């Protein structure tokens, strides 16, 4: 049995989880789901945001077609943590 590449695990900060709970539109949930799949398959898909190297480096993933923006960082074990905000 062949398996594909392992996907990163997605976790949400408390503030991102609250934003997720506030989404009620089926279309917005679908768009967000598609963006989460992209970063779970390739955690480095988003652009690295400027900042110091003392802590986790924030990345931003923007999908202009689906109109979604996620800010996240990737742990050493390749868990993607959506931290700042979700815009759909």
């Amino acid at each position: 049995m062949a398996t594909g590449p392992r996907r990163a695990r997605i976790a949400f900060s408390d503030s991102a989880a609250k934003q997720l709970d506030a989404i009620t539109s089926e279309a917005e949930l679908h768009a967000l789901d598609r963006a989460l799949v992209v970063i779970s398959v390739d955690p480095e898909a988003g652009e690295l945001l400027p900042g110091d190297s003392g802590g986790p480096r924030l990345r931003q993933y923007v999908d202009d077609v689906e109109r979604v923006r996620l800010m996240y960082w990737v742990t050493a074990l390749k868990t993607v943590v959506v931290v700042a905000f979700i815009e759909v």
Side-chain angles (χ1 to χ4, degrees), residues 52-57:
D52 64 30
S53 59
R57 296 289 307 270

Side-chain angles (χ1 to χ4, degrees), residues 1-39:
M1 177 191 313
T3 59
R6 184 176 157 253
R7 287 187 177 189
R9 184 175 159 263
I10 303 285
F12 297 95
S13 70
D14 289 343
S15 64
K18 285 178 187 173
Q19 292 170 356
L20 182 61
D21 287 342
I23 297 173
T24 58
S25 160
E26 187 79 24
E28 289 177 348
L29 286 172
H30 179 71
L32 176 60
D33 188 53
R34 289 175 53 98
L36 292 171
V37 167
V38 169
I39 63 173

Side-chain angles (χ1 to χ4, degrees), residues 66-79:
E66 295 284 353
R67 297 185 6 235
V68 174
R69 180 165 72 152
L70 301 172
M71 293 191 62
Y72 65 97
W73 62 279
V74 182
T75 69
L77 297 176
K78 297 296 183 198
T79 296

Side-chain angles (χ1 to χ4, degrees), residues 35-71:
L36 292 171
V37 167
V38 169
I39 63 173
S40 74
V41 171
D42 181 8
E44 296 181 5
E47 75 176 273
L48 198 56
L49 296 175
D52 64 30
S53 59
R57 296 289 307 270
L58 279 177
R59 301 186 80 84
Q60 173 178 258
Y61 175 77
V62 177
D63 182 329
D64 291 325
V65 174
E66 295 284 353
R67 297 185 6 235
V68 174
R69 180 165 72 152
L70 301 172
M71 293 191 62

